[in-house]
Amino acid sequence: MREILKPALVLLAICAGVTVVLALVFQGTKPVIAERAAADLAAAKSEVLAGADAFSELKLPEGFATDEFLQTIGAVYLGTKNGLYRGVVVRALSRGYEAAGVLLTIGLSNEGVVTGIRVGDHKETPGLGTKVLDKAQAYLGQYLNLKPATNLLLVKNKTAGAPSHQIDAVTGATITSRAVWRAVQGALEISQKLTPEGAWK
Amino acid sequence: MSSQPFDTPKAWDIAVAGLIKENPTLKMILGCCPTLAVTTAVGNGLGMGLATTAVLMCSNMAISLLRGVIPEKVRIPSYIIIIAGFVTVVMYVLKAWLPELDKALGIYIPLIVANCILLARAEMFAAKYKPFPSLLDGLFMGLGFTLALFTISTVREILGSGTWFGLVLTKNLWAPAVLMILPPGGFLAFGLVITGMNRLTNGKIATPMCATCSPERCAP
């Protein structure tokens, strides 16, 4: 009896000890992490839409997410400078290779031009998915200053001289490439639904 | 396991065992999952290696301190809970106070829990020896893992992307073999580096018994 009880009790004690430590660490770090996330969002907004200095959240109408692109959109912020509407910042969470998704902050000017993309938290495969999300690599740059006349199209091995709305997917990371493409297309659709003054059409 | 059943190995032996003789990746073939997954670029390999080293040192130390308390029958679940607890604490602390490090290493941290090197060192070393040698064992086994990842990722990055640490090396010499950074290339590079390691060390462990385990347990 003792031989069964003792290991069970020790294991229980270890589990309880680890649980208490984790609970304390979680409680202790929660406000700091929340504060950091808020600061990160503020920094992301002014990075992707440098032309604006004040942001306000736009309430999205019920059932706006009618396609797979708009379904990635989490929040939309209107950017203004001196009270004038300058563009929109879109926060998107797009399903990539991992279920956690890729958090993206996308800026679009009031003329619908992509002004910046910032990659937030993600769990994509190091070396493959991360190649898509790395600023130093070519993939994200394809979207900058883009104002496509038609929907963005994701292609493999884009030929030289192909129109700019064709986005070249990264070899070995098609699923992460698609995640970014879906979010940017969603952001473009949001900006098309806004009037030049920044109101929902 | 409360007493000290074996002679504590010397620091030098621990270092040589961790880096070469019992290199966890290249000799023990442990921790293959992270080895194959993150060695696509040198920066990734190094990051994963160093993050694992830090957690391995902490977990070895904690398990060594608790070695008199943990009953033999439930040692494996106890080790796993302690290791997972450490990894989670490290994850939260990095997120809260070291966001830059979290950005660089964040994606590797959850992978550490699944790394069997931690469990292997807990079982083979920390459960038997005092905290300080266990800490050293964690350090050198971690560095051995880092060294292996560094070598494998060097091979893969140079052949697969034509770069090293992101620096372009082979721009006009040959077209990079993308295969090398895809999963099959991981196995190829892993095999090549193991072959090289065995060749360098003549394919055998230098002493009749392993440096860190007892003769009774490790019969030739």
Side-chain angles (χ1 to χ4, degrees), chain A residues 68 139-140 160 196:
Chain A
E68 59 164 333
Y139 180 80
L140 287 179

Side-chain angles (χ1 to χ4, degrees), chain B residues 22-43:
Chain B
E22 293 174 33
N23 186 296
T25 317
L26 300 176
K27 287 284 188 183
M28 306 285 197
I29 324 291
L30 291 172
C32 295
C33 167
T35 303
L36 294 168
V38 305
T39 50
T40 50
V42 178

Side-chain angles (χ1 to χ4, degrees), chain B residues 21-131:
Chain B
K21 281 187 192 167
E22 293 174 33
N23 186 296
T25 317
L26 300 176
K27 287 284 188 183
M28 306 285 197
I29 324 291
L30 291 172
C32 295
C33 167
T35 303
L36 294 168
V38 305
T39 50
T40 50
V42 178
N44 295 331
L46 214 54
M48 178 72 195
L50 294 177
T52 309
T53 306
V55 176
L56 184 55
M57 286 166 75
C58 295
S59 72
N60 255 11
M61 182 93 162
I63 286 162
S64 174
L65 284 170
L66 288 170
R67 72 191 187 284
V69 183
I70 298 172
E72 179 112 22
K73 276 186 184 149
V74 291
R75 63 189 197 286
I76 303 286
S78 307
Y79 300 156
I80 299 228
I81 289 160
I82 292 170
I83 292 166
F86 259 115
V87 171
T88 316
V89 168
V90 167
M91 206 167 75
Y92 280 126
V93 168
L94 284 184
K95 251 194 184 24
W97 288 291
L98 296 162
E100 290 309 310
L101 208 57
D102 180 55
K103 275 216 169 70
L105 298 182
I107 37 179
Y108 308 117
I109 307 282
L111 283 175
I112 298 175
V113 188
N115 192 329
C116 52
I117 294 173
L118 279 87
L119 197 60
R121 294 329 293 171
E123 170 78 2
M124 286 166 64
F125 200 100
K128 300 177 199 160
Y129 299 109
K130 286 187 177 151

